[in-house]
Amino acid sequence: MNLIGHLINGAVVTPEGRRQPVYNPSAGTAHAEVLLASTATVEEAIANAKAAFPAWRNTPAAKRARIMFRFKELLEANADEIVRLIGLEHGKIAHDAMGELQRGIENIEYACYAPELLKGEHSKNVGPGIDSWSEMQPLGVVAGITPFNFPAMVPLWMYPLAIVSGNCFILKPSERDPSSTLLIAELLHQAGLPAGVLNVVNGDKEAVDTLLTHPDIEAVSFVGSTPIAEYVYQTASAHGKRCQALGGAKNHAIVMPDADMDNAVEALTGAAFGSSGERCMAISVAVAVGDEAADALVAKLSQRMQSLKVGAYSDSSNDFGPLITAAHKAKVEGYIQSAEEDGAVIVVDGRNPAVGDANGFFVGGTLIDQVKPGMRCYEEEIFGPVLVVVRVDSMQAAMDLIDAHEYGNGTCLFTRDGEAARYFSDNIKVGMVGINVPLPVPVSYHSFGGWKRSLFGDLFAYGPDGVRFYTRRKTITQRWPSSGVREGAQFSFPS
Amino acid sequence: MNLIGHLINGAVVTPEGRRQPVYNPSAGTAHAEVLLASTATVEEAIANAKAAFPAWRNTPAAKRARIMFRFKELLEANADEIVRLIGLEHGKIAHDAMGELQRGIENIEYACYAPELLKGEHSKNVGPGIDSWSEMQPLGVVAGITPFNFPAMVPLWMYPLAIVSGNCFILKPSERDPSSTLLIAELLHQAGLPAGVLNVVNGDKEAVDTLLTHPDIEAVSFVGSTPIAEYVYQTASAHGKRCQALGGAKNHAIVMPDADMDNAVEALTGAAFGSSGERCMAISVAVAVGDEAADALVAKLSQRMQSLKVGAYSDSSNDFGPLITAAHKAKVEGYIQSAEEDGAVIVVDGRNPAVGDANGFFVGGTLIDQVKPGMRCYEEEIFGPVLVVVRVDSMQAAMDLIDAHEYGNGTCLFTRDGEAARYFSDNIKVGMVGINVPLPVPVSYHSFGGWKRSLFGDLFAYGPDGVRFYTRRKTITQRWPSSGVREGAQFSFPS
Amino acid sequence: MNLIGHLINGAVVTPEGRRQPVYNPSAGTAHAEVLLASTATVEEAIANAKAAFPAWRNTPAAKRARIMFRFKELLEANADEIVRLIGLEHGKIAHDAMGELQRGIENIEYACYAPELLKGEHSKNVGPGIDSWSEMQPLGVVAGITPFNFPAMVPLWMYPLAIVSGNCFILKPSERDPSSTLLIAELLHQAGLPAGVLNVVNGDKEAVDTLLTHPDIEAVSFVGSTPIAEYVYQTASAHGKRCQALGGAKNHAIVMPDADMDNAVEALTGAAFGSSGERCMAISVAVAVGDEAADALVAKLSQRMQSLKVGAYSDSSNDFGPLITAAHKAKVEGYIQSAEEDGAVIVVDGRNPAVGDANGFFVGGTLIDQVKPGMRCYEEEIFGPVLVVVRVDSMQAAMDLIDAHEYGNGTCLFTRDGEAARYFSDNIKVGMVGINVPLPVPVSYHSFGGWKRSLFGDLFAYGPDGVRFYTRRKTITQRWPSSGVREGAQFSFPS
Amino acid sequence: MNLIGHLINGAVVTPEGRRQPVYNPSAGTAHAEVLLASTATVEEAIANAKAAFPAWRNTPAAKRARIMFRFKELLEANADEIVRLIGLEHGKIAHDAMGELQRGIENIEYACYAPELLKGEHSKNVGPGIDSWSEMQPLGVVAGITPFNFPAMVPLWMYPLAIVSGNCFILKPSERDPSSTLLIAELLHQAGLPAGVLNVVNGDKEAVDTLLTHPDIEAVSFVGSTPIAEYVYQTASAHGKRCQALGGAKNHAIVMPDADMDNAVEALTGAAFGSSGERCMAISVAVAVGDEAADALVAKLSQRMQSLKVGAYSDSSNDFGPLITAAHKAKVEGYIQSAEEDGAVIVVDGRNPAVGDANGFFVGGTLIDQVKPGMRCYEEEIFGPVLVVVRVDSMQAAMDLIDAHEYGNGTCLFTRDGEAARYFSDNIKVGMVGINVPLPVPVSYHSFGGWKRSLFGDLFAYGPDGVRFYTRRKTITQRWPSSGVREGAQFSFPS
């Protein structure tokens, strides 16, 4: 069975140590093993990164950026293989995996802007004859810890920007689907990255804790669930590191009576069930304003869902694939059952879908109406292809619901009305707001981040905040005390 | 005896509770008592701030800024009284207190730029017909905890920017010298600030801990010593708040053989002894490169120090005043004694200076030569009028010394040479670098922050980082789904 | 009779020379005479400005800005007198004049941001060991030529920003209403401006031509009518100066069937008749989409106009005052007559209004329906209290009308629909677009400028473009060739 | 003989019309003919560009940028052929042509940043409930007119940025060496550019005048000599276009007594003779401060020049190649003769160099000492491999010399002294300043432009100014008048 190792100092290594199987969730079978890094292995990666830092920080930003230009080319050239690996280990259908990769490439494009992004501010004459300017210097060695649901994209939110800013990087990706992540990291080396600047260590809590506590790690970026995000943030902070930790979500879409209902239904279907709902930006709650809108919405959604096709990643006519593990499948099914028990109405039931391979971890698209706050299926993040509908009688009630929820990642409003859109986007306590856009993931040149318990830290992921996160401000104030050489020259050489 | 209260919801209040004397350190006598806020008092302040927030966040930034314009006018009009209060309770001489106030006013000037500083980024067509933009929204209620050494300036680093960004603020200033801080806060209300937007609570650990743990406090800015900064950062972080905590310093100035020596001596004298060295940007270590430079430096410094005048704040011909407390005076004298014991040479001894009032907490300017790493007087922050001289034989050795120290707040290089300046500012691991500028405090439109254990957090104080710290990014992605109204209009009214 | 002179080198001077009466248009009588500067007088002003430049450019931006802070205070303290002078010579009612002044003060507030606005961009390591940065340096002596309709505001669009950027300035304001302009300039000197930095010369074409051709004038800002703007732009450009010349307008408002009609009528009434329509941002054409909307609009407008009060500036219950001259009154009346002759319907006729003083230059609010392209009252800028209504049958037709007009200053759309608003603002060929905002004058921290023949030049007035206009980019690229001093120091002083 | 045509609407066309030979200056023989576009041909190009504009402006900036990413790849892949064509028609040696191409590619890299560069500014609550933002919209069809000396680079200063900003472009390159320019333009189409967005017309004054006067051309960028630049600027301005016209130069390098002389000599040799001095950033005047420095400089330079190798482009061991035409060769020789006649000392005489092909247009490196202001060889731009030395007795005298010259493109100071560098860069009236950098061409993410008669217009070429030049500001101010839909929804659905 294939053994997936680490990428340290420019080469893949497979030291002795603990291992864990890697599954093909479409078939329910393991196809490889991945090494779980020991503390010593992580320390080795850190040591290599530290050694690579001095030369890398002194490499002009434009040269660092040129490696990112080449990296983008290589990802485009190798897209099919990357997409295949994502599908194999995550279960995502090709069109979805390609979308993920494209988003990741866009983050590389942004990293290519480094010479622009790293400009400091220069002030002439802050006092008489005194100038002052800022330099955004790299931190040193920084780390990223990333989740299974976007094995290509989320790492690319982090290390291209960190590296192009002059840092060296340790990536600890998800051990569930490590292959595409590793291939992409190898392509960056092929693009010309010096050995040691990027290191990938597969692993579990041992590796994570090493990163969170090691004195040579200056900063940690994390994406995952809220309990782990909180642990990561507190541990890293307590060890003097800067940290940004992105956690869970429960994204609501409000459907107003004046919304273009066909558009809303189409948008919600993709946003709720795409990638089996295993996205922190998935819409998992539809809030219909007024029973008339609610009835129309539920009717149209359930009709639209009849044509949803669930199945293995290898058939690109499928709409979405399996969940990541058998355990997670069981958990999602448990949420559906709890809804039933709590008195909600299961309009479309995705349990036991009719799909090819009965061993795959499949759950079909599920629609639950009459859901109310307090029900487990409303309060918790399901991370599966389950859309719950809550009915309210005013837009304000819908907004109150959203603001009362512990998460504040993304949200969306369907309306035609300029005033409603402005009121909503102004006041809602959520970091990423869509107006008729169900998945308002900011483009790569803006920044990604939720509010409330969806993000710990002050700076968001990627974009302008990413640059700020991966750099440390230095301010120089300069004055030249006398004109000795300049005026001295005058006396030395009389005409 | 005068009783100093809190400023809550626009009015000074003096509830029952614990009290502590406030000293005039020039005379060694208490002249007032200050209330120490209970948890309930702090909670009351927070509740008022929270109530004031909705209206304040919706006030246009330009209107908020206009209050800052008026605030600046009032500080200028009341400068003499503010300066007097600083002198009385802190001991700073008028010219020094006026400098402090002026720096604080400059932070208000920067807050006046709010409409410019709060601009978001707007991107047209992030996709076909889709626009996206960012808004930097206020956090809600935020807090500041500030030290005794700049009772006017350091609070002004924080709340003008926080408030003008739309937040409400709780200030917990130093209980050693609260009067000038309180007066300034009252002037802001006179300038038109609505009640509840700024609240000042005097207090000690009880008040601090309430702020660090209260669920309605969104962010904490702190300036003080490193152990407390670390405690504040970890506690606030663990309670889900964003935090920036600025700590101690041991600022080195390198004197190169080619330096303009008279300029360096003049600069060092002010930077080491001004404000009795009770500044986190004071130069407390002079590193001379080569014995020739060292000998010249020590000779000229000891000569220059002969004319230094120490005494009460009320005599404006004095160069600097007393230390803040009797305990701190004893501590500083202890450092001088330790240096003697460790084998350093006390060139000028400031213990038992001949000053008017023997009860004042005075220590005179002290110069210690032949200091080496490992000595307590080198490793620790003395926070008194003590300058130690370390001799090295190369600029690289001087830089290694600085980089090995736990603090990284400020540093300075004296040279005429462009290459040395560039190498130094590029490589030194210190956040604020001066070239022939001994106190490289960034101007108000840049940001203040040290590296290493001098600052915990990712964003610096005031300036551009201050704005980012006190605001939360929201990204809106907007698409309008159909041209119903626009094209519908066409059908309704045929020509 | 009062004689109005020039402000040169910090003092008002009244040399011999040509004069012209200054009228009170509310009474139709002259109350003062203004000097018309000769070429020699203008040259003297330029020479003084040139002499003041070296010291002023070297004054730190923060210090220059502080004079602007004080200037703002003084304008607020003297607002009543400024407003009275505007009313006396321009005819504007106090509430309108106060609005004008407030807008001007906002431009001063923006000038206060100078330290932020003048920051250059600093790039570390553009090559190995090479840094590069930009400085936005002042140009030298620059000039502004301003119109009668905003004697306070338009000059304040220009010189505060020019001056705070380090330039010296020659202002040639309108000779129709020079008194408020002159008072304001004197207040800037009272605020601490050094003599020579700002000079005001009253005059006519002789003064203008001197400014446009003098080799020491580096740049010219102009606001006036399009034919003069074009002349100014071509003449200044041909003499090697940078130039921004703002001309005329014919601003259309589209009223959609879904608009909040009461709001639209209220907004249009103010936008069309305020300041007698003598504003380059006045709405002078209402385009109603569909006859139903048109009928409602005309009916409600004519009803609303019944309560409009026209009269002398001194009665603050008036809505608007007289036109600027008897000749201009006759011209506006001629436009109304031409509309009648061209077959349009005069719904409300403002000719011969019943006002107190029959000698004042009054025209009342006028509403003309059934106007069509080709009519003189549609094609030309009337600059009077005349609103024409054009009826179209689709929003696209309304937009085509706007795009076909030679001017492209401002425009507005009344709708509730997000999609219509976005389509309109994206595609319309107009520089300043309002959505339900009838006078979309950009706030002071954005920039003012029209498209097509409403502006000649590439940079707009005030705001970010204003800063760019009044500064010249300098890019420094720096490398230090050897480490002689730094490493040399090592050899000199062996340990 | 090969016939070089135009690239219009995505295809190379060769209509009937006037032609002109294209020379290989290394051999002195024509190897091709180039078509000279008639007015009709230029109009056809403009019409195609205009037709392509609506779709191109609506293409998201990120998609436009992706074509630039691909363009960069193709230029890198085709670098050898481009370099060969430059060498063949311009005479540049391969290493030099490769440097030119690399600089051009860097401008494409900057164009790839478009999504970042085109961000507008968004202001929330400019008034109560009113938002405002700016969009930087493309102009439409814009033109570039470029010189022979950088047939690859200078066009790439212009059209990548113009096009990525959403404009369509007409390029009129030099008719002396059109082949590399045309190949590069074809590669952009291969990268995916839609037909019509970029059009290349070869031609002479007829084509230029058509571009300068055609109503559909919105802006013109020009690089060439000052008399033509002035003509272009005045003509384009008079026709209502925005224009930036870059002209000639006479770049001085000051050599201070404390300079690292070997470094200065090496730098000056490259900067004066590289590309035969046919660069607007070439150093053509060395100003030595003090006779000691002057003597050393002249001695070392004349020695260094002995190893300079002049010859055909095809031999990559050559340092530089021929001049562009026989006429230009004669002109450069005339300047050397005039210097002789004016009393200067010809230290190294490059006339009649010993090179392989006697028919090539070669002039060797020439060094002239004892040159003084007033001599033709000092006052005029020679544009050949001629370095003149002026001797002065103080740095101030050197600076006065530079400031008195009509040009202000680039300049350089050789020193080790921080104070001298700062004084020089602050005060010198030149747009691009080098400190120990002889050719201070700003990197692509800063902007290129001279002062005085070296540039007409307010915005510089490429970089941030380039983006501003190729875009037109639009400011939208938006308010939504009532909450009809939002609150209406509330009434419709009572709970």
Side-chain angles (χ1 to χ4, degrees), chain D residues 100-245:
Chain D
E100 170 183 356
L101 178 59
Q102 175 53 27
R103 280 286 189 164
I105 289 173
E106 290 171 17
N107 291 102
I108 299 171
E109 289 174 358
Y110 186 75
C112 291
Y113 312 170
E116 182 71 19
L117 304 176
L118 293 172
K119 283 176 176 171
E121 297 183 321
H122 185 274
S123 294
K124 187 73 168 294
N125 278 336
V126 298
I130 304 176
D131 303 331
S132 193
W133 71 93
S134 54
E135 299 183 359
M136 304 312 290
Q137 297 200 346
L139 305 174
V141 184
V142 301
I145 301 166
T146 56
F148 77 85
N149 60 332
F150 288 102
M153 182 182 77
V154 173
L156 292 174
W157 285 6
M158 300 176 183
Y159 69 76
L161 210 46
I163 284 174
V164 89
S165 299
N167 299 284
C168 295
F169 202 92
I170 313 292
L171 174 67
K172 208 300 288 169
S174 170
E175 68 279 17
R176 300 275 177 224
D177 45 9
S179 293
S180 63
T181 318
L182 198 62
L183 171 57
I184 291 171
E186 290 182 83
L187 291 171
L188 177 52
H189 285 83
Q190 208 171 303
L193 191 76
V197 175
L198 171 65
N199 302 274
V200 182
V201 290
N202 288 301
D204 53 9
K205 192 165 190 300
E206 182 177 347
V208 167
D209 283 345
T210 307
L211 292 171
L212 297 182
T213 58
H214 194 288
D216 286 336
I217 296 292
E218 299 284 343
V220 177
S221 297
F222 172 86
V223 174
S225 69
T226 286
I228 310 296
E230 194 163 25
Y231 168 78
V232 163
Y233 186 71
Q234 291 181 355
T235 309
S237 294
H239 286 81
K241 305 178 192 329
R242 60 174 71 180
C243 184
Q244 53 180 194

Side-chain angles (χ1 to χ4, degrees), chain C residues 251-282:
Chain C
N251 304 313
H252 297 56
I254 302 180
V255 181
M256 291 286 282
D258 77 330
D260 177 331
M261 196 60 74
D262 288 332
N263 172 64
V265 165
E266 197 57 36
L268 285 176
T269 303
F273 308 120
S275 207
S276 309
E278 290 173 326
R279 291 169 175 161
C280 68
M281 285 297 276

Side-chain angles (χ1 to χ4, degrees), chain D residues 15-367:
Chain D
E16 289 300 304
R18 293 187 296 126
R19 302 173 172 200
Q20 180 174 304
V22 177
Y23 284 84
N24 169 354
S26 301
T29 53
H31 75 99
E33 281 189 318
V34 61
L35 280 168
L36 300 178
S38 64
T39 292
T41 297
V42 177
E43 286 172 347
E44 187 198 334
I46 295 172
N48 276 290
K50 195 178 177 184
F53 178 63
W56 185 242
R57 90 181 273 286
N58 285 338
T59 303
K63 288 207 173 167
R64 294 193 303 240
R66 245 158 247 152
I67 295 172
M68 293 296 155
F69 275 95
R70 178 81 183 120
F71 185 30
K72 168 181 146 83
E73 292 175 43
L74 289 174
L75 290 198
E76 287 166 349
N78 291 275
D80 288 344
E81 175 60 5
I82 295 167
V83 159
R84 190 188 68 79
L85 289 173
I86 296 173
L88 175 65
E89 297 184 353
H90 174 279
K92 225 171 263 198
I93 315 304
H95 49 78
D96 192 16
M98 192 60 92
E100 170 183 356
L101 178 59
Q102 175 53 27
R103 280 286 189 164
I105 289 173
E106 290 171 17
N107 291 102
I108 299 171
E109 289 174 358
Y110 186 75
C112 291
Y113 312 170
E116 182 71 19
L117 304 176
L118 293 172
K119 283 176 176 171
E121 297 183 321
H122 185 274
S123 294
K124 187 73 168 294
N125 278 336
V126 298
I130 304 176
D131 303 331
S132 193
W133 71 93
S134 54
E135 299 183 359
M136 304 312 290
Q137 297 200 346
L139 305 174
V141 184
V142 301
I145 301 166
T146 56
F148 77 85
N149 60 332
F150 288 102
M153 182 182 77
V154 173
L156 292 174
W157 285 6
M158 300 176 183
Y159 69 76
L161 210 46
I163 284 174
V164 89
S165 299
N167 299 284
C168 295
F169 202 92
I170 313 292
L171 174 67
K172 208 300 288 169
S174 170
E175 68 279 17
R176 300 275 177 224
D177 45 9
S179 293
S180 63
T181 318
L182 198 62
L183 171 57
I184 291 171
E186 290 182 83
L187 291 171
L188 177 52
H189 285 83
Q190 208 171 303
L193 191 76
V197 175
L198 171 65
N199 302 274
V200 182
V201 290
N202 288 301
D204 53 9
K205 192 165 190 300
E206 182 177 347
V208 167
D209 283 345
T210 307
L211 292 171
L212 297 182
T213 58
H214 194 288
D216 286 336
I217 296 292
E218 299 284 343
V220 177
S221 297
F222 172 86
V223 174
S225 69
T226 286
I228 310 296
E230 194 163 25
Y231 168 78
V232 163
Y233 186 71
Q234 291 181 355
T235 309
S237 294
H239 286 81
K241 305 178 192 329
R242 60 174 71 180
C243 184
Q244 53 180 194
L246 284 68
K250 191 80 179 182
N251 304 313
H252 296 56
I254 302 181
V255 182
M256 291 288 283
D258 77 330
D260 176 331
M261 196 60 75
D262 289 331
N263 172 63
V265 165
E266 197 57 35
L268 285 176
T269 303
F273 308 120
S275 207
S276 310
E278 290 174 326
R279 293 169 173 162
C280 67
M281 285 297 276
I283 291 291
S284 49
V285 184
V287 188
V289 178
D291 276 325
E292 196 176 329
D295 291 345
L297 181 70
V298 170
K300 279 173 183 274
L301 269 173
S302 56
Q303 182 176 18
R304 171 68 182 82
M305 287 171 68
Q306 288 175 16
S307 65
L308 281 181
K309 242 190 104 191
V310 191
Y313 79 96
S314 46
D315 177 354
S316 68
S317 74
N318 285 327
D319 289 304
F320 61 92
L323 293 169
I324 187 69
T325 58
H328 188 51
K329 173 178 188 256
K331 190 176 167 194
V332 170
E333 290 169 344
Y335 277 115
I336 302 172
Q337 179 160 348
S338 80
E340 227 166 5
E341 292 164 4
D342 288 343
V345 178
I346 313 295
V347 181
V348 181
D349 190 339
R351 287 173 291 189
N352 307 312
V355 290
D357 194 329
N359 296 318
F361 311 141
F362 295 100
V363 172
T366 300
L367 182 67

Side-chain angles (χ1 to χ4, degrees), chain C residues 63-289:
Chain C
K63 289 208 173 168
R64 295 193 302 241
R66 243 157 249 153
I67 295 171
M68 293 296 155
F69 275 94
R70 179 81 182 122
F71 185 30
K72 167 181 147 83
E73 293 175 43
L74 289 175
L75 290 199
E76 288 167 349
N78 291 275
D80 288 344
E81 175 60 6
I82 295 167
V83 160
R84 191 189 66 82
L85 290 173
I86 296 173
L88 175 66
E89 297 185 351
H90 175 279
K92 226 171 263 198
I93 315 304
H95 49 78
D96 191 17
M98 192 59 92
E100 170 183 355
L101 179 59
Q102 175 54 27
R103 281 286 190 163
I105 289 174
E106 291 171 16
N107 291 103
I108 299 171
E109 290 174 358
Y110 186 74
C112 291
Y113 312 169
E116 182 71 18
L117 305 176
L118 293 172
K119 283 175 177 172
E121 297 184 321
H122 185 273
S123 294
K124 186 73 168 294
N125 278 336
V126 299
I130 304 176
D131 302 332
S132 192
W133 71 92
S134 54
E135 300 183 359
M136 304 312 290
Q137 298 200 345
L139 305 174
V141 183
V142 301
I145 301 166
T146 57
F148 77 86
N149 60 331
F150 288 103
M153 182 183 77
V154 173
L156 292 175
W157 285 5
M158 300 175 182
Y159 68 77
L161 209 46
I163 284 175
V164 89
S165 299
N167 299 283
C168 295
F169 201 93
I170 314 291
L171 174 66
K172 208 301 287 170
S174 171
E175 68 278 17
R176 300 274 177 223
D177 46 8
S179 293
S180 63
T181 317
L182 198 62
L183 171 57
I184 291 173
E186 290 182 82
L187 291 171
L188 178 52
H189 286 84
Q190 209 171 302
L193 192 76
V197 175
L198 172 65
N199 301 275
V200 182
V201 290
N202 288 300
D204 54 10
K205 191 165 189 302
E206 181 176 346
V208 167
D209 284 344
T210 306
L211 292 171
L212 298 182
T213 57
H214 195 287
D216 286 337
I217 296 292
E218 299 283 343
V220 177
S221 296
F222 172 87
V223 175
S225 69
T226 286
I228 311 297
E230 193 164 24
Y231 168 78
V232 164
Y233 186 71
Q234 291 179 355
T235 309
S237 294
H239 286 82
K241 303 177 193 330
R242 60 173 69 181
C243 184
Q244 53 180 194
L246 285 68
K250 191 82 179 181
N251 304 313
H252 297 56
I254 302 180
V255 181
M256 291 286 282
D258 77 330
D260 177 331
M261 196 60 74
D262 288 332
N263 172 64
V265 165
E266 197 57 36
L268 285 176
T269 303
F273 308 120
S275 207
S276 309
E278 290 173 326
R279 291 169 175 161
C280 68
M281 285 297 276
I283 291 291
S284 50
V285 184
V287 188
V289 177

Side-chain angles (χ1 to χ4, degrees), chain C residues 57-58 121-123 125-126 130 132-135 137 233-234 237-243 260 263 415-418 421 424-437 440-443 445-447 451 456-460 464-465 468-469 472-482 484, chain D residues 57-58 121-123 125-126 130 132-135 137 233-234 237-243 260 263 415-418 421 424-437 440-443 445-447 451 456-460 464-465 468-469 472-482 484:
Chain C
R57 90 180 274 286
N58 285 338
E121 297 184 321
H122 185 273
S123 294
N125 278 336
V126 299
I130 304 176
S132 192
W133 71 92
S134 54
E135 300 183 359
Q137 298 200 345
Y233 186 71
Q234 291 179 355
S237 294
H239 286 82
K241 303 177 193 330
R242 60 173 69 181
C243 184
D260 177 331
N263 172 64
T415 187
R416 295 172 189 269
D417 186 64
F424 178 72
S425 66
D426 180 17
N427 288 291
I428 200 73
K429 293 187 179 116
V430 170
M432 296 176 282
V433 179
I435 304 298
N436 300 305
V437 171
V441 180
V443 286
Y445 40 104
H446 287 256
S447 294
W451 286 20
F456 301 88
D458 5 319
L459 292 166
F460 285 6
D465 270 16
R468 185 65 191 83
F469 184 77
R472 187 174 275 143
R473 184 182 289 274
K474 183 183 273 186
T475 307
I476 295 101
T477 306
Q478 184 169 278
R479 173 182 169 266
W480 294 104
S482 76
Chain D
R57 90 181 273 286
N58 285 338
E121 297 183 321
H122 185 274
S123 294
N125 278 336
V126 298
I130 304 176
S132 193
W133 71 93
S134 54
E135 299 183 359
Q137 297 200 346
Y233 186 71
Q234 291 181 355
S237 294
H239 286 81
K241 305 178 192 329
R242 60 174 71 180
C243 184
D260 176 331
N263 172 63
T415 186
R416 295 172 190 268
D417 186 64
F424 178 72
S425 65
D426 181 17
N427 288 292
I428 202 73
K429 294 190 178 112
V430 170
M432 296 176 281
V433 179
I435 304 298
N436 299 305
V437 170
V441 180
V443 286
Y445 40 105
H446 286 256
S447 294
W451 285 20
F456 301 88
D458 6 320
L459 293 165
F460 285 5
D465 269 16
R468 185 67 191 85
F469 184 77
R472 187 175 276 143
R473 185 182 288 273
K474 183 183 274 186
T475 307
I476 294 100
T477 306
Q478 183 170 279
R479 172 181 169 268
W480 295 103
S482 76

